[in-house]
Each structure stands twice: as structure tokens, then as C-alpha cells.
Amino acid sequence: MRYKEAVFVGLVATILYFDVTKEYKEQIWQFSENLMIWRTSESVLVGRFDRLADKSNVLVDSFFIGFNGNIDVILNGQNLLKKLGVSADDVTAEDKLVISSVDDLASVFTHYFKQETAAERAVVEESSWQEMLKAINEMEEKTNFIGGNAALIARTMSYSNIKIKLAVPGGPELIKQLKEYGVSVMENCKQSYDELHVIMEYGVGEEFAGHTAKRANRFIFSRDIANSQMSATNCLTDEAVSGVDVVVIAGFHMLETLPTVQQHAVINSVREKLSLHKKQTIHLELASMTNRAFLLDLFNMLAVYSHSLGLNEAELDFLSVSLGGDRVEVKDISSVKAALVLILEKAGSESSLTRVHFHCLTYHIILERKGRWKNSANSVAMGTYTAAKFACDTPTIVPSNHELRFLGTDVKPVVTEDVGVYTLHISPVLVCKQPLKTVGLGDSISATGLLYTTKT
């Protein structure tokens, strides 16, 4: 055995077999890592993440989570069209804003299949929706999964053994699947049927309507009345919120298609109800939107009255431009920092909004107003740590299954820096090479981070 390896083994043995103080253990680990020059960056970072996780304590024990939940029905797109009697030879590729018939579904699916891009449309005719449901129910090769931001957040939080009050439109299948994670839907939010989002997948090499797909993708359609009207906001009562530590609200992107008057009615109702509860931490999780006017309304009418905001790169880019800022490029961290600062600057120094949690594939950032939050460094690091395990669907992180793509100079779980009146914490992601779970990954990041921080 070479000298350095022998010293390393001796140091590890000291930790494992002798009763040494935490401070001494940390010194041993730091010295050991300096010896381990043959280890990869991924291996070193995993070790540091593991030790950080061992020292990180959950600071809250109860959440209220709302408001969107559904069942994602995942199936092969071509097989569904065949079941509906659609022939590839007779389809005309054409995009439509809404789907009124089976022919519309075939046309829009084919349009995006040829472009090989993802898209989502709503079915507006009940009779056509029932025809599609009949075909779906007759298909054997399909899979049902929990869907919807709020429901996915609750599923992720269930691993922490905290108390959860979940306010989503809960149909029989969604209730059944959530129960497997120990999560219950609030009684007054339950309904007799599930809201379904049908995900028509296709793989590389699939041929349809004269086109061969060079990449895998999906087309989604639904007739989701309860979530599009955010009916579960009716479950936001004083009794439901009283006694919880954190309130997480999500699913507001579902309001985009409604008239402005209805959008404002829902947003105002939620804000007014939450304004009665001063002790709870309020976190708003954004999702993909295309209506700039609606996004600005949501920001000015709800986000600035929340304490924390969660969003990904597409959402940050759209919000930055909507607020009068520049486009965001995740490879240029300075542009991300500028956009995050812009959000808190536009909210104003007197606003409740003092924290933004940004997540992308390679790194995560929390920007906070100084002195307003506790333990934010651990919060962002535990978010990336959870994301790595969740993506590979493993209880621990195996270094060979991940790669470090963030080009920071330090191989550390988190790096902190001052940005004027704000503090910024950035954490690199150990990206899963062959991810088994991607749906709900962003939600799990923000949700986990909220376990390890509290506002002052």
C-alpha cells in the first residue's frame, strides 16, 4: 500500500473506531481529502454532501401545500391514435390553440411530432374528451403517476416524516397513490373523479405521418376543470393554515386561460386569506407560463406578499424580461445573479418577499435579503443533494452515476458571497447520468430547501 493511501485508511479508522469530537472528525476529513488526489471531483463532493447532510437538522415540522394535483396517464401516442381509429396516412399536421375533436388531437400531435418539441393543449368539447377517455381506458399499456406541482411537492416532503395538509382536487386514483407515501388529501378537497393529464410519448426512431423522430418527446392534453379554476383554493381556511410552519402555494399557471377578472378573483382570495396568518412562511412556486400580463399580475398581486419564491431557468428568464430586465443564460451566472437581484429589487425593501430559490440542471442558487433567513446555505445544498438522489432514484449518491458539470472553482456543497444588501448561496448539482425520475424534480428541490430554513 502506498504511503498516502495508508495514512488515509488510518484516519478513516480513527473516525470509525474511536470516540473523537465532531470538530476533530471534521479536521480529519479535511486532511484526508487533501491526501486523496486520486479521487474524482464527484467522489470528493459526494463525501462533503454526505457529511453536510449528517449535520443538517430539519427546522420545521408541518406544511400546508396547495393547490394543483392530477393523475398523469403516460402512454404511447401512436397507440392511442390507432385506438381512436386515426390513420397516419390521413392526418394533416396542423397546430391549434385548443382541441375540439379527435381529428384536432391527431393534427396537433402530428404537428409537434414532426417538430419533435413538447407541447400541451386543452380539450374543450366534453363529448370528444369522453371519446378519448374510452379509448384510453381500453388500452392495456399505460401507466398512472402522481401529477401536479402541489401533489408532487407533498410526495417529496413525505420522506421527511413531517405533517402535511394537502389541498388538491383529489380523485380516487390520486388519493390511492398519495396514500402509498403516507399523504392524505384534505377531506373537503376530495372529488369523485380524477383530473387526468394524458401524456402521449414517442421514442427515438418512431415513424409517423412520414416523419422519423430523432429524439424522444411528448405531447400532453387534458380537460382539467378543477385545476384550471383552482377549485382547491376553497380549502384554504383558517383552520387548515393555523398551526402549520410553512404554506407552499403552487399551480397558478393553470389560471392563464381564464378571463382576467377570474384570475384576479382567485389570486386576491388567496392573498387575503394568507394575510391573516403572520407567523407562517409563505412560499410561492412558479411554473411555465406564456402570458406576460398574467405573470406580472401574479408577481405584483401575490409574489410580493409571499416570503419566498421558487423558479427554474425558463421561469426566471420570462420573469426577468417581464420585469424589464435582460434575458437569462444559465451558463452565464452573472446574468442569473442579475435577474435574481432584479426580482427582489422590484419587490421592494418593504416587501415580504426576501428570498428566491433558483434551480437549473447544473446548479442552484438562493438569494436572500441579509438578516431575514436562517440556515440558507444548508437549505440550498440540501435541495441539490435531494435532487441528485431523486433523479437516479437511489437512497444514496453513487459518484460513478453522477457528473459535476458546474464550472465553479471550489468543489464544495455550497459557496456563499455578498451581493450588496443580499447574500447569495450557490450549490453545484451532481447530475444523474441516467435519470429515472425527472417529473417533479424542480418541486422536490424547492420543497426540500424549505425544511432547513426559517425566516427571522
Side-chain angles (χ1 to χ4, degrees), residues 134-424:
K134 184 176 183 295
I136 291 167
N137 290 332
E138 291 175 354
M139 293 179 63
E140 294 184 2
E141 294 185 4
K142 62 178 183 291
T143 308
N144 294 337
F145 283 116
I146 296 169
N149 308 73
L152 289 167
I153 290 171
R155 182 194 68 179
T156 302
M157 302 299 279
S158 68
Y159 293 108
S160 303
N161 296 317
I162 62 167
K163 299 173 185 176
I164 296 173
K165 294 181 179 179
L166 179 61
V168 297
E173 181 64 21
L174 182 59
I175 291 171
K176 175 185 173 184
Q177 292 208 19
L178 285 168
K179 190 175 182 180
E180 294 175 6
Y181 295 91
V183 177
S184 299
V185 175
M186 293 175 61
E187 197 64 34
N188 54 340
C189 279
K190 293 179 179 178
Q191 57 185 47
S192 60
Y193 60 93
D194 286 289
E195 300 292 353
L196 303 180
H197 290 202
V198 184
I199 301 175
M200 301 173 68
E201 292 188 324
Y202 55 87
V204 176
E206 281 198 36
E207 298 180 3
F208 186 74
H211 179 77
T212 302
K214 297 179 179 63
R215 57 172 294 187
N217 220 317
R218 54 178 58 183
F219 176 77
I220 304 172
F221 70 94
S222 64
R223 182 169 169 77
D224 188 342
I225 305 300
N227 284 306
S228 64
Q229 297 179 353
M230 294 196 73
S231 63
T233 57
N234 294 323
C235 302
L236 182 62
T237 62
D238 288 344
E239 182 181 0
V241 176
S242 296
V244 302
D245 298 315
V246 182
V247 176
V248 178
I249 50 178
F252 288 88
H253 61 289
M254 300 295 293
L255 297 174
E256 260 196 315
T257 58
L258 294 183
T260 302
V261 173
Q262 289 180 255
Q263 294 172 349
H264 288 186
V266 174
I267 295 171
N268 284 328
S269 174
V270 171
R271 186 187 68 240
E272 290 169 4
K273 289 177 180 178
L274 291 177
S275 68
L276 302 175
H277 301 274
K278 305 297 184 182
K279 294 182 180 180
Q280 286 80 3
T281 296
I282 312 298
H283 174 84
L284 171 62
E285 187 71 20
L286 293 186
S288 178
M289 287 178 252
T290 58
N291 186 325
R292 184 172 297 176
F294 171 67
L295 177 59
L296 286 174
D297 285 344
L298 185 63
F299 181 79
N300 292 317
M301 297 171 65
L302 189 58
V304 298
Y305 295 95
S306 304
H307 303 108
S308 174
L309 182 68
L311 73 181
N312 67 17
E313 64 268 36
E315 294 144 15
L316 178 63
D317 178 60
F318 192 46
L319 182 55
S320 175
V321 173
S322 299
L323 292 172
D326 296 327
R327 297 296 303 272
V328 173
E329 172 52 59
V330 293
K331 292 182 180 179
D332 177 12
I333 296 181
S334 63
S335 75
V336 174
K337 293 179 181 178
L340 295 174
V341 169
L342 176 67
I343 290 172
L344 293 185
E345 288 291 303
K346 289 292 185 179
S349 59
E350 300 302 315
S351 169
S352 299
L353 183 60
T354 55
R355 175 185 185 268
V356 185
H357 190 157
F358 166 77
H359 42 85
C360 66
L361 179 65
T362 54
Y363 61 91
H364 306 156
I365 293 176
I366 287 180
L367 181 75
E368 60 179 349
R369 189 173 288 275
K370 289 181 179 177
R372 298 295 187 90
W373 292 83
K374 298 177 182 177
N375 211 37
S376 290
N378 277 32
S379 175
V380 69
M382 290 305 295
T384 57
Y385 183 71
T386 299
K389 292 191 292 183
F390 189 88
C392 277
D393 197 20
T394 54
T396 59
I397 301 176
V398 181
S400 60
N401 293 341
H402 296 77
E403 58 182 331
L404 183 61
R405 299 182 189 174
F406 175 61
L407 300 179
T409 55
D410 296 318
V411 184
K412 297 179 179 179
V414 62
V415 175
T416 297
E417 64 180 79
D418 289 332
V419 184
V421 297
Y422 307 107
T423 302
L424 182 144

